[in-house]
Amino acid sequence: MKSTKFAFTLSTLLLAGAANADILGANAEAGIFDGDDGSATYASLDVQHPIPLIPNLRIDVWDFESDPSGTDISHLDFTGYYGVGILWASIEGGVTFRSLDMDRGASSDSESVPMLFLAASLAIPGTGVTLAAESKSISSFDDVTITDQSFKIQYQPIPVLGLEVGYRSIDQETNFLNKDYDGYFIGVTLDI
């Protein structure tokens, strides 16, 4: 996915959340990831609603370019989840469907896999700081094993806009890809 596509996707996600802000809750994130083997851009939109039987929806876009080969690996995740919150803590669980694409320049491959999703967060009262962890994983599904974990700290100094820093580790073994990457990321958050 090129930078133009990333910018278009991010603006579409943010505008979609803003258009529904009066009847839905939405959170958006966007930033950059830096690892030993390359760098990535990411964006996500998380939409919550008050209907109990229908899962909340989250969309994640991830675009990784490997150094020095220039191999482009992109993920598009659709997650349906349920969550429960008690005071300042929340736990979420659900299912993610990942569309995984790899472009080597002369050739490309793609695959779609279901994954289990689990996330937890803890807001520290009076500070604007939230600690969060997230895991998406699948083991031995059609010869595919993926573990995608992240840990982050978010700081929201004003009601809508915030910052996040964290660490992400992704191990992927699929029919066309055997790639592990990990590193730190920094981004901005928008709470609508």
Side-chain angles (χ1 to χ4, degrees):
M1 190 186 305
K2 303 290 184 209
S3 297
T4 306
K5 289 183 180 178
F6 176 76
F8 176 75
T9 302
L10 176 59
S11 62
T12 302
L13 292 175
L14 293 177
L15 289 174
N20 294 305
D22 55 339
I23 58 173
L24 300 173
N27 301 311
E29 302 172 4
I32 56 173
F33 166 92
D34 188 29
D36 292 337
D37 297 331
S39 60
T41 53
Y42 70 90
S44 70
L45 175 66
D46 187 353
V47 179
Q48 307 92 33
H49 59 80
I51 306 170
L53 297 178
I54 299 176
N56 296 311
L57 177 65
R58 176 173 162 174
I59 301 170
D60 294 281
V61 178
W62 165 270
D63 185 36
F64 179 84
E65 185 169 334
S66 179
D67 293 331
S69 67
T71 301
D72 190 68
I73 301 168
S74 61
H75 309 165
L76 177 59
D77 292 356
F78 294 93
T79 302
Y81 72 91
Y82 296 97
V84 60
I86 301 173
L87 296 177
W88 301 282
S90 69
I91 298 175
E92 300 168 348
V95 177
T96 295
F97 293 94
R98 171 168 291 180
S99 176
L100 177 62
D101 297 301
M102 183 167 71
D103 184 0
R104 300 182 190 90
S107 64
S108 61
D109 292 289
S110 62
E111 191 163 13
S112 296
V113 294
M115 304 168 67
L116 297 177
F117 169 78
L118 182 63
S121 65
L122 175 65
I124 301 173
T127 65
V129 174
T130 300
L131 308 176
E134 176 184 305
S135 175
K136 297 176 184 175
S137 64
I138 189 70
S139 180
S140 299
F141 172 80
D142 195 25
D143 297 325
V144 173
T145 300
I146 298 176
T147 303
D148 184 347
Q149 298 178 328
S150 64
F151 307 91
K152 61 187 173 184
I153 300 172
Q154 295 177 319
Y155 176 59
Q156 192 172 354
I158 57 177
V160 176
L161 192 63
L163 300 171
E164 66 180 10
V165 294
Y167 177 81
R168 185 170 182 179
S169 174
I170 304 175
D171 299 331
Q172 297 186 122
E173 295 181 20
T174 74
N175 295 316
F176 61 86
L177 173 66
N178 188 348
K179 179 72 175 173
D180 303 340
Y181 35 93
D182 59 292
Y184 295 93
F185 61 88
I186 184 167
V188 294
T189 64
L190 186 63
D191 188 5
I192 303 168

